[in-house]
Amino acid sequence: MTGLLYKEFRLNARKLIFSIIGTMVYPVVIIIVTKLSEIEAEKTFNDAQQEQMLMNIMGLLWLTSCFMAFMFFAAFQNTLIIEDERKKWAYYITSTPTGVNGFIGVKYLMVMITGMFVVTIMTIMQAIQNDMDSLTIDATAVTIMGFFMQLLFRAIEYPLVFRFGTKVGNMVKSCIVVLLCIVLFVYFLFGDTSMFANLETFWDRFFNFVHDPEQMKKVYLWIGIIAVVVMPLYYLSYRLSVKWYLKGVENYAK
């Protein structure tokens, strides 16, 4: 299994480096812009409320950078399977002592490792921002939540990809995304949207929420609950992928 893990890092080294660089670029830009904006706000704004509003905008951009970081590595994780979609490789790996269990397990392990890369990078970036006294919103909860949500998405996606192939698996994933968009569209048409009626008060409530320690304790509690739910699902997804792998091999073109 160690050899398979080395293979993944060796063959995907360039993409992995680009993903790490891409993950770091946006947060670094946000840190620089936030610090410059803070300095400029002190010179320009006499009203503390306007200065706080600018810092809140920078805080939203910082949360966006967390989302973008996971998007970079999500794109990387989506390429882990397609390169091994060959019948010769599938029959070869089946005959090795590691077998299908080790091969599939390494794919799932790579998702966890790259997800930890994102958490580590964003934690370091946030520490740098905190040392510069320019941290407007603590994104720790968002980063941890992003890690477990990424595991959940791969837990849903990978069994489909191993069973039906990358093309069909991605098609099913796209259908799920479209279905979610339709559900959100229907909700905004017929559901209770009073909380979005006044965007100014909505953002006020949002920033009051993220700056309230008591509310954040509840968020961390929910993250713990999500972790307890996601990890068993992730393992069950792995077992299902192992079971379906050889059935999906017949769908490979070569």
Side-chain angles (χ1 to χ4, degrees):
M1 189 168 178
T2 305
L4 289 173
L5 188 60
Y6 172 78
K7 163 189 166 291
E8 293 294 336
F9 278 108
R10 185 69 180 86
L11 294 180
N12 296 292
R14 183 175 298 179
K15 290 185 291 185
L16 185 59
I17 291 171
F18 283 143
S19 297
I20 292 174
I21 294 173
T23 300
M24 294 175 65
V25 167
Y26 192 66
V28 168
V29 172
I30 295 301
I31 290 173
I32 295 172
V33 171
T34 301
K35 191 62 180 178
L36 293 176
S37 299
E38 184 180 359
I39 295 172
E40 190 65 26
E42 292 175 356
K43 296 179 181 178
T44 307
F45 295 140
N46 296 321
D47 187 354
Q49 186 175 1
Q50 290 180 327
E51 183 177 345
Q52 183 61 41
M53 183 172 60
L54 178 61
M55 291 299 101
N56 287 341
I57 294 173
M58 293 297 104
L60 284 177
L61 292 177
W62 177 245
L63 294 179
T64 304
S65 71
C66 297
F67 173 78
M68 293 296 295
F70 281 103
M71 289 298 293
F72 270 106
F73 272 93
F76 170 79
Q77 292 165 1
N78 287 334
T79 66
L80 290 174
I81 299 176
I82 191 171
E83 295 179 352
D84 293 323
E85 286 190 333
R86 298 189 303 273
K87 287 184 179 180
K88 289 183 179 179
W89 168 257
Y91 295 139
Y92 165 74
I93 198 63
T94 304
S95 65
T96 62
T98 304
V100 176
N101 286 8
F103 171 67
I104 302 295
V106 164
K107 301 295 183 182
Y108 278 79
L109 185 59
M110 281 293 292
V111 171
M112 294 190 70
I113 291 173
T114 52
M116 291 176 186
F117 280 169
V118 180
V119 174
T120 302
I121 291 170
M122 296 308 298
T123 301
I124 293 172
M125 292 295 172
Q126 182 159 291
I128 293 172
Q129 195 175 21
N130 192 35
D131 288 340
M132 296 172 63
D133 295 326
S134 58
L135 182 65
T136 55
I137 291 181
D138 187 348
T140 303
V142 175
T143 304
I144 298 174
M145 180 74 76
F147 172 74
F148 286 109
M149 292 306 296
Q150 196 169 64
L151 293 186
L152 179 61
F153 292 151
R154 298 294 90 79
I156 296 171
E157 176 186 0
Y158 273 12
L160 297 174
V161 172
F162 281 118
R163 177 61 181 87
F164 301 107
T166 302
K167 291 183 179 179
V168 177
N170 288 337
M171 188 181 302
V172 173
K173 181 176 66 174
S174 300
C175 291
I176 293 174
V177 172
V178 171
L179 180 62
L180 290 175
C181 291
I182 292 174
V183 170
L184 287 174
F185 180 73
V186 172
Y187 174 79
F188 279 110
L189 282 179
F190 305 106
D192 182 13
T193 58
S194 58
M195 63 181 299
F196 303 105
N198 190 330
L199 287 180
E200 184 176 347
T201 58
F202 169 78
W203 288 117
D204 286 340
R205 291 196 304 271
F206 172 78
F207 287 114
N208 289 334
F209 179 87
V210 296
H211 291 303
D212 186 349
E214 294 301 321
Q215 295 294 341
M216 294 310 297
K217 287 180 182 179
K218 296 178 182 178
V219 172
Y220 286 121
L221 174 62
W222 277 107
I223 290 175
I225 294 172
I226 291 172
V228 171
V229 173
V230 168
M231 295 310 296
L233 288 177
Y234 197 66
Y235 177 75
L236 290 175
S237 172
Y238 158 71
R239 299 304 307 173
L240 189 61
S241 295
V242 170
K243 184 177 180 180
W244 281 357
Y245 178 65
L246 288 178
K247 295 180 180 179
V249 169
E250 300 304 321
N251 297 319
Y252 294 167
K254 56 181 180 179

